[in-house]
Amino acid sequence: MKPPRFEYVAPRTLDEALAFLARSPDETKLIAGGQSLVPLLNLRLIRPKYVVDLNTVEGLSEIRRPAEGALRLGAMVRQRALENHPLVRQLAPLLPEAARYVAHAAIRNRGTVGGSLAHADPAAELPAAMTVLRARLTLNRADGATRSLSPEEFFLGPLTTAIRPDEILTAIEIEPPPENTGWAFLEVARVHGAFALVGVAALVHLDRNGIVDLARIALCGVDGVPYAPEWFEEMIVGQRPGSDLFSQVGRRLRETLQPVSDPVIGAEYRRTAASSLVVRALDTAHRRAS
Amino acid sequence: MAEQDLASAPPTSSNWVGQRLKRREDPELLTGAGEFVGDLTRPGMLHAAFLRSPFPHARIRSIDASRAQQMPGVHAVLTGADLPPDLAPQPQVHHFAGQRPTPYYALMRDRVRYAGETVAVVAAESRYLAEDALEQIDVDWEILPSTGDAESALRSEAPRLYDDWPDNVAGTYHAEMGDVDRALAEADVVITERFKVQRQFACPIETRGVLAEWDARRDELTLWTSTQSPNVVRDFLAEVLGMPAHRLRVLTPRVGGGFGGKFHFYPEEVAIALLSRRTGRPVLWVEDRIESFTATVHACEESVTATLGAKRDGTLTAIKAEVIGDMGAYLHTVSFGPVWLTSAMITNVYQIPSARVDTLAVVTNKTPFGSYRGWGQPQANFVVERMVDRMALALEMDPAELRRKNFIPPDRFPYTGLVHTFDSGRYAECLDRALELADYREWRARQAALRGSGRYIGIGVSFYVENTALGPSRILNEGGMRQGGFDTAHLRLEPGGEVTLYTGLSEMGQGFTNGLSQLCAEQLGVRPDQINVVTGDTQACPYTGYGTGASRSASVGGAAVIKASHSLRQKIEAIAAHMLEASPADLLIEAGRIWVKGAPARAITMKDVGRAAYHRAIELPPDMLPGLEAIEVFDPPQMAWPYGANVAVVEVDVETGEVKFLDYAYVHDCGTMLNPLIVEGQIQGGVAQGISAALYEELKYDSNGQPMFGTFMDYLIPTAADLPHLRLDHTITPSPIIPGGMKGAGEAGIIGSPAAVVNAIEDALRPFDVKFTQTPITPDTILTALETK
């Protein structure tokens, strides 16, 4: 359980990091919190020639919001900071709620928001949360080019994203949902901190008449990428919220979901639990929406 | 009662037994200062890594290690071909009549029978380089057909692990009392169930580790190893290497948990010793986490088909069981001991007049089976306590009531059942206390009330008895065991008046050195902090054959300490009486001070006695030789049987299959408690592992014996966040056969908890009429059971 030999690089600025990456993009891995990369190295499942440390790069850990603009999270913001930062708690309370399910506090102290997104584990919570928040993910390149992707554009499959070998995910921008938007993140895992069997992120907003005018869900643990059913908004927006409506969503999900399976927990379980969890998440988000 | 620091204990107390003193080693361990095998370093030390078989069953056609050998920083590569030709196979502590030999060695020469088996080992200047070198060793494998579970290994067409065997059965066992067939024929209700308990293992926080240093000048070997049984390691290593045991010294630094897995003698201990001899350097190997999942013995995997008969009034009349143990590829250090114990315990705490077990130990292409806390007893308990619950359902009786009705009553002890003789017990009193502690009736009422609103609460009861104070030696020998069940305590009053206790028991985090020093302090009339306990050095400590396991430290070790303390005290009193010009009968001793009854000013201290004994023979009685030591042996006349009741209260979420604990009450009786704080810690930990067995842990293999686990991602261990707060109480029924009355407590918690949890889950889901006969119970298990209804 020791990694093969690699060269460790500790750039001080983003430009340095990007320049190094541009030199040998296919032989380089970026290390953020290391919570997924280090096991992969130790298991010798990956053998990069260079490991570039983003921890030494200045300016990637900020959480800020320019006046009335989007909430901006540096890619190196620790998951623990996401959980505790007042600005995040105020503008996107879904994120702290989702972050609580990410492993254990000791791991969240090291693990980063950008690292979780770039690793793109299908069971991970933050990709699902970013999907319902319609976050924009900023990618930088050495030549100064930047791209801003939606979660749907960013997550391509299990452990697969749209990040090109010479790009670094540097920031995540989130337009805060309208005031009084209700939120919920629920998850079933076999033990505290284990990988999600299924997790649900939900947002619900009501208009003046108590009719749903914004609702989004995304699930983790059931598909290769965060699962946000296309039919969902059509089914629920414009409707009066309540258990009948939410149960209808649950039933539809149960009919349509084609979840992944593993040797211990089967697809059928995930389908059933996901549909129950979605109903509960919508219920909680609805209660918080008033 | 709150725990206390020794420093704040009353200075002149003499009643040390039963005090909740904090463990003296905790500040060291909690600040990370403890020194484990992996922390050790010796001048010139090399690091080792093992090449292990990736296949469950294969022939080794050839191995080419030449490239690895030539890598910079690599000092040696050993393969099976490099082993001494006369190297003996790995010996066993337990041996059952008629069992077939399953020889295995430090490194396998031409055939492997499980994935993870040792094939080659590299010594290099760092573990990194050693692992790099492993990648350069070429093995030409011929993959053989393999088998991944005992049931299919029993089929006639199954691939055989041993070519000269007619099948895959390594051993059998049979025991019988009464007339089972007749009793079942005459029973009013008979139920039969098939149970399956999954593969688990000890999984201590500290994995195993070995540091070997061969001194060529003196032809002596020093081995630091993370073991529970230093003398077993020393004897077996001597036997395998063909060298005299007194040229071997086995040391255990801090051991970070053993739980039975470190009772065993492992191939790595031999291979690392040979590697040190080959290189002339000290060599360290630390089992990494991935290795630990296949290299440390597995346990628990058994299937049991059981039939239980009862009269309409609830009297249990007969039980029979067929037990199949999945032994993995070899009979390891303890052979199929745990499977035997499952079989022997099949009547649990009940007066069932007729019982029969038929047991098969079956080899498969998996990691060898061995010891884990409970040693087969949790599996027996799971079967019996699940069956009793099912029987209560069939008889429409309260499950607690059915248990109470069939307990061995207090006046029947000593009680001899199918195999063992139980020393003492007041079971009904213990169960009643647990039901009271758990608010059993109140939970039953809430259960009924909440079912109407779609909430499913279940209450699960189980009762267990625990096999402790393993001995007596002669009976163990008759049962095929190569070690004694005795323990030896060596006490010395030092010249400065302090006391040193040398014990062959092994401290692995359970804290028994605290309990033994409290016991010794009370016996001698000193304070526990005046006693230093020395463990884990075969050159300094007495020979304790069995080592530490089978919950024997407090009972067998404690009784030896009482005997040695008694001898030492007699000599102390004789010296003090001479110095004080009084009769020994008139002396009082407390906190190291010795005075004459009624004349407290006529006093001396242990220091005065120590000085006389070693430095000033002139102060001794005229006929007394200098020196002040005592060595005593205790060999228990029988085993001692603690017991206890679990009451688990759970809520099952019928939409997600999640199980949540609402309450957990536990009442325990281990006779005299040396330190209740430590006993309670043992119970807490054992219950955690029992809950984990019920819900989480499983070493899952595919049908060919390929492991489907390898990290904590798939081998789930609960944390404090997943576990209930235990409400714990004790009754105290001292053992009549152990001086001091102590029974063991090390394994108690794990024995009854799986059954209690599963009984509770089934009870919660009673309206759906589902049945659970396998563990672990995952959320998927629950939803699947509900959906097929």
Side-chain angles (χ1 to χ4, degrees):
Chain A
M1 244 169 107
K2 301 288 181 207
R5 183 176 290 276
F6 60 81
E7 196 175 311
Y8 170 78
V9 182
R12 271 172 305 168
T13 65
L14 181 60
D15 285 346
E16 268 178 58
L18 287 166
F20 191 91
L21 186 59
R23 283 212 328 252
S24 40
D26 295 322
E27 293 174 310
T28 304
K29 279 283 174 193
L30 304 173
I31 186 164
Q35 301 304 299
S36 303
L37 188 75
V38 172
L40 290 172
L41 286 168
N42 285 347
L43 293 169
R44 299 188 175 219
L45 292 174
I46 52 169
R47 293 162 183 268
K49 195 166 174 193
Y50 307 103
V51 172
V52 174
D53 194 347
L54 297 181
N55 290 277
T56 54
V57 174
E58 286 164 15
L60 290 181
S61 305
E62 287 175 10
I63 297 178
R64 61 191 165 87
R65 186 195 191 194
E68 298 308 304
L71 174 67
R72 189 182 158 87
L73 308 171
M76 288 297 289
V77 166
R78 306 288 162 182
Q79 291 149 4
R80 190 71 170 157
L82 195 68
E83 202 178 339
N84 292 330
H85 198 280
L87 211 50
V88 182
R89 298 183 78 94
Q90 182 203 331
L91 297 173
L94 177 70
L95 288 174
E97 192 157 295
R100 278 185 326 166
Y101 289 102
V102 180
H104 303 278
I107 290 168
R108 298 198 291 274
N109 280 334
R110 290 293 306 166
T112 64
V113 176
S116 171
L117 299 176
H119 185 58
D121 191 296
E125 293 80 4
L126 297 183
M130 294 300 178
T131 300
V132 298
L133 289 167
R134 298 202 171 155
R136 305 294 302 179
L137 294 88
T138 307
L139 303 171
N140 289 54
R141 221 165 62 179
D143 62 7
T146 65
R147 296 196 290 156
S148 171
L149 303 185
S150 69
E152 288 77 7
E153 294 163 331
F154 183 85
F155 296 109
L156 301 181
L159 310 179
T160 310
T161 69
I163 306 176
R164 292 173 188 145
D166 61 349
E167 286 179 326
I168 296 179
L169 171 64
T170 54
I172 299 96
E173 293 192 333
I174 297 160
E175 199 63 58
E179 235 176 290
N180 296 325
T181 299
W183 73 95
F185 195 99
L186 293 178
E187 177 172 313
V188 183
R190 288 188 58 200
V191 293
H192 184 81
F195 281 75
L197 303 180
V198 54
V200 181
L203 293 180
V204 172
H205 188 268
L206 307 178
D207 70 12
R208 241 176 305 161
N209 303 317
I211 299 297
V212 178
D213 63 358
L214 176 159
R216 298 175 202 149
I217 53 170
L219 286 77
C220 62
V222 294
D223 197 2
V225 294
Y227 180 72
E230 283 165 24
W231 47 261
F232 171 71
E233 289 187 38
E234 197 181 320
M235 177 181 262
I236 198 169
V237 171
Q239 304 292 319
R240 186 161 292 282
S243 51
D244 287 351
L245 181 64
F246 299 155
S247 301
Q248 214 181 311
V249 173
R251 276 197 300 277
R252 179 78 182 267
L253 197 65
R254 198 177 171 138
E255 287 157 12
T256 54
L257 192 61
Q258 298 293 329
V260 294
S261 185
D262 69 49
V264 179
I265 303 294
E268 187 54 36
Y269 171 82
R270 285 185 160 86
R271 189 172 10 246
T272 310
S275 56
S276 304
L277 221 53
V278 159
V279 176
R280 292 180 192 183
L282 288 171
D283 201 50
T284 302
H286 171 218
R287 260 189 298 111
R288 287 165 166 173
S290 32
Chain B
M1 208 200 312
E3 67 272 16
Q4 51 180 309
D5 284 314
L6 182 57
S8 65
T12 59
S13 171
S14 54
N15 299 319
W16 295 105
V17 169
Q19 292 211 27
R20 307 171 69 86
L21 298 183
K22 284 189 190 169
R23 310 191 321 166
R24 55 176 79 175
E25 60 272 33
D26 285 347
E28 175 195 324
L29 295 174
L30 294 172
T31 55
E35 189 174 61
F36 299 83
V37 170
D39 297 315
L40 300 174
T41 164
R42 302 289 298 165
M45 185 174 84
L46 301 174
H47 298 261
F50 282 88
L51 183 71
R52 296 176 181 278
S53 169
F55 304 112
H57 200 182
R59 220 178 290 285
I60 301 168
R61 287 204 194 101
S62 65
I63 303 182
D64 179 1
S66 53
R67 267 185 301 138
Q69 230 133 15
Q70 283 152 19
M71 287 170 71
V74 171
H75 285 243
V77 182
L78 296 185
T79 68
D82 301 307
L83 298 178
D86 54 350
L87 188 84
Q90 300 285 106
Q92 294 166 315
V93 170
H94 294 254
H95 191 280
F96 290 90
Q99 77 177 51
R100 292 190 175 129
T102 59
Y104 61 102
Y105 299 85
L107 301 169
M108 295 309 283
R109 292 184 175 93
D110 49 18
R111 184 158 169 184
V112 292
R113 294 184 177 85
Y114 68 93
E117 190 161 17
T118 48
V119 171
V121 61
V122 175
E125 276 162 22
S126 75
R127 177 72 179 246
Y128 294 83
L129 294 173
E131 291 191 18
D132 288 349
L134 293 183
E135 296 186 331
Q136 302 303 322
I137 300 175
D138 292 319
V139 183
D140 183 6
W141 300 101
E142 177 191 340
I143 296 170
L144 300 173
S146 54
T147 175
D149 69 276
E151 203 166 303
S152 52
L154 283 172
R155 293 196 194 114
S156 59
E157 71 276 16
R160 276 202 292 282
L161 272 76
Y162 296 89
D163 300 338
D164 51 343
W165 294 12
D167 51 31
N168 285 315
V169 178
T172 62
Y173 176 73
H174 170 87
E176 189 167 358
M177 67 171 177
D179 186 340
V180 172
D181 295 326
R182 186 168 157 192
L184 287 175
E186 289 173 359
D188 294 326
V189 182
V190 174
I191 56 173
T192 296
E193 300 288 354
R194 184 171 181 279
F195 297 93
K196 173 88 201 281
V197 174
Q198 79 278 24
R199 205 161 247 258
Q200 303 155 55
F201 83 123
C203 202
I205 289 181
E206 184 213 18
T207 55
R208 293 183 298 120
V210 183
L211 167 58
E213 184 165 14
W214 203 298
D215 184 339
R217 294 162 305 180
R218 306 170 62 188
D219 201 25
E220 285 183 359
L221 173 69
T222 305
L223 195 87
W224 291 263
T225 183
S226 187
T227 185
Q228 297 169 222
S229 317
N231 281 297
V232 170
V233 172
R234 188 188 73 143
D235 285 4
F236 284 6
L237 207 47
E239 179 179 331
V240 171
L241 299 174
M243 67 185 287
H246 68 266
R247 296 215 167 274
L248 278 161
R249 182 182 189 187
V250 174
L251 293 156
T252 58
R254 287 283 180 212
V255 174
F259 307 112
K262 291 181 184 167
F263 178 81
H264 286 239
F265 178 65
Y266 285 94
E268 290 91 347
E269 284 162 327
V270 178
I272 298 300
L274 289 171
L275 204 48
S276 175
R277 184 161 74 179
R278 165 69 72 92
T279 58
R281 300 268 209 117
V283 178
L284 172 70
W285 167 74
V286 175
E287 180 186 59
D288 70 30
R289 187 57 72 182
I290 300 259
E291 283 183 295
S292 78
F293 285 102
T294 53
T296 288
V297 289
H298 290 176
C300 307
E301 186 173 11
E302 294 175 23
S303 62
V304 181
T305 305
T307 302
L308 180 66
K311 292 287 179 198
R312 181 69 55 204
D313 69 354
T315 307
L316 302 177
T317 55
I319 187 165
K320 68 172 182 181
E322 284 156 25
V323 181
I324 298 173
D326 184 332
M327 306 318 301
Y330 305 97
L331 297 180
H332 213 268
T333 309
V334 299
S335 183
F336 62 90
V339 186
W340 164 78
L341 191 54
T342 299
S343 314
M345 295 302 294
I346 209 70
T347 53
N348 195 18
V349 286
Y350 305 112
Q351 258 194 121
I352 306 179
S354 297
R356 182 170 73 221
V357 283
D358 285 288
T359 302
L360 294 178
V362 179
V363 289
T364 57
N365 292 108
K366 301 197 287 201
T367 290
F369 178 101
S371 303
Y372 175 40
R373 200 176 201 171
W375 221 69
Q377 297 171 96
Q379 293 79 54
N381 191 271
F382 184 68
V383 170
V384 181
E385 292 301 278
R386 296 263 39 243
M387 289 291 277
V388 169
D389 250 41
R390 299 295 306 171
M391 182 59 85
L393 191 66
L395 293 169
E396 295 177 342
M397 273 180 83
D398 180 273
E401 188 48 44
L402 181 60
R403 286 179 171 84
R404 197 182 288 108
K405 187 175 174 62
N406 288 282
F407 280 149
I408 302 161
D411 57 5
R412 287 289 310 275
F413 291 96
Y415 174 88
T416 301
L418 182 60
V419 174
H420 293 106
T421 297
F422 296 173
D423 63 326
S424 59
R426 295 177 292 155
Y427 299 153
E429 195 179 312
C430 180
L431 178 64
D432 289 346
R433 179 71 195 110
L435 296 175
E436 181 188 297
L437 189 65
D439 302 319
Y440 184 70
R441 281 170 201 285
E442 202 173 306
W443 276 116
R444 283 272 175 238
R446 283 178 69 181
Q447 175 184 49
L450 285 171
R451 265 181 197 164
S453 57
R455 287 184 60 190
Y456 298 94
I457 285 178
I459 305 131
V461 176
S462 75
F463 204 93
Y464 70 90
V465 64
E466 181 196 0
N467 171 315
T468 77
L470 186 64
S473 297
R474 286 165 200 276
I475 294 199
L476 297 187
N477 293 161
E478 280 167 17
M481 206 186 292
R482 262 189 67 173
Q483 284 288 358
F486 66 93
D487 189 49
T488 305
H490 175 186
L491 275 175
R492 180 196 290 156
L493 186 78
E494 302 286 353
E498 314 87 6
V499 177
T500 305
L501 165 60
Y502 298 90
T503 170
L505 297 168
S506 203
E507 178 62 73
M508 47 185 153
Q510 74 277 50
F512 75 81
T513 52
N514 297 271
L516 292 189
S517 50
Q518 284 172 248
L519 183 61
C520 184
E522 181 163 316
Q523 294 286 321
L524 290 179
V526 300
R527 289 169 52 85
D529 55 5
Q530 291 170 304
I531 300 169
N532 186 33
V533 185
V534 180
T535 64
D537 180 350
T538 56
Q539 238 164 47
C541 299
Y543 186 99
T544 289
Y546 200 82
T548 298
S551 305
R552 57 200 304 281
S553 302
S555 49
V556 183
V561 166
I562 290 180
K563 286 181 75 177
S565 302
H566 185 74
S567 298
L568 193 74
R569 181 159 174 153
Q570 276 186 326
K571 196 165 176 189
I572 291 169
E573 284 177 349
I575 296 170
H578 180 71
M579 294 171 85
L580 290 166
E581 297 176 346
S583 154
D586 292 335
L587 297 180
L588 290 172
I589 311 183
E590 220 171 74
R593 191 170 163 275
I594 308 163
W595 71 96
V596 181
K597 220 179 284 175
R602 279 175 68 195
I604 56 171
T605 65
M606 289 290 179
K607 191 171 179 175
D608 298 316
V609 174
R611 184 192 63 226
Y614 295 95
H615 301 157
R616 291 187 54 81
I618 200 167
E619 296 179 35
L620 293 177
D623 56 344
M624 189 179 279
L625 289 170
L628 201 34
E629 298 192 66
I631 298 180
E632 293 289 348
V633 178
F634 179 71
D635 200 336
Q638 270 297 343
M639 284 185 268
W641 298 85
Y643 53 88
N646 290 256
V647 184
V649 185
V650 303
E651 179 166 5
V652 179
D653 185 326
V654 296
E655 292 187 339
T656 63
E658 290 170 290
V659 174
K660 190 168 79 181
F661 286 92
L662 302 182
D663 201 359
Y664 204 114
Y666 193 111
V667 178
H668 177 242
D669 191 324
C670 62
T672 307
M673 286 187 281
L674 300 178
N675 181 334
L677 195 59
I678 290 175
V679 171
E680 288 166 15
Q682 288 279 13
I683 303 288
Q684 291 270 2
V687 170
Q689 287 174 315
I691 288 172
S692 192
L695 301 177
Y696 307 124
E697 290 176 50
E698 181 171 23
L699 295 161
K700 219 175 165 73
Y701 280 87
D702 77 4
S703 59
N704 295 316
Q706 193 64 44
M708 296 164 82
F709 50 84
T711 70
F712 284 129
M713 218 176 106
D714 24 51
Y715 194 70
L716 296 180
I717 302 275
T719 65
D722 304 295
L723 297 167
H725 177 73
L726 218 57
R727 292 203 283 144
L728 192 56
D729 199 4
H730 307 274
T731 58
I732 296 176
T733 309
S735 172
I737 58 156
I738 303 290
M742 297 81 68
K743 302 177 178 179
E747 296 164 280
I750 200 173
I751 298 174
S753 38
V757 171
V758 177
N759 285 347
I761 293 171
E762 203 177 275
D763 184 58
L765 300 176
R766 199 69 80 206
F768 304 94
D769 188 29
V770 295
K771 185 163 79 179
F772 297 104
T773 54
Q774 290 194 22
T775 49
I777 298 197
T778 70
D780 192 343
T781 317
I782 289 175
L783 289 200
T784 304
L786 291 174
E787 265 159 36
T788 48
K789 272 291 148 185

